[in-house]
Amino acid sequence: SAIFNFQSLLTVILLLICTCAYIRSLAPSLLDRNKTGLLGIFWKCARIGERKSPYVAVCCVVMAFSILFLQ
């Protein structure tokens, strides 16, 4: 059902990016061995979370504010 609601889709994508970056910080070899294919999506999300972390953090704060106070 998150596909049909744009805000829910953005929330799922942000959670995926943050989760993958956190998992990669704990166990880098878990995501590094799957850089291509279907599981490569998780590696790419981890790279986005690491390299764009200030932007991802701002997006997470804005999303949390909008979920808590605007809905």
Side-chain angles (χ1 to χ4, degrees):
S1 67
I3 296 172
F4 301 113
N5 187 353
F6 186 67
Q7 186 173 4
S8 297
L9 180 66
L10 289 178
T11 304
V12 168
I13 291 170
L14 277 174
L15 286 173
L16 180 68
I17 290 171
C18 293
T19 303
C20 289
Y22 180 70
I23 289 173
R24 190 169 188 281
S25 71
L26 291 179
S29 63
L30 189 65
L31 291 176
D32 285 344
R33 64 180 144 193
N34 298 319
K35 292 184 179 180
T36 59
L38 187 62
L39 294 177
I41 294 170
F42 300 121
W43 179 79
K44 290 174 187 173
C45 287
R47 296 299 288 180
I48 291 170
E50 291 171 354
R51 293 186 176 199
K52 304 288 185 187
S53 60
Y55 299 114
V56 172
V58 168
C59 289
C60 286
V61 169
V62 169
M63 185 64 67
F65 180 80
S66 70
I67 288 173
L68 289 175
F69 298 113
L70 299 179
Q71 283 187 353

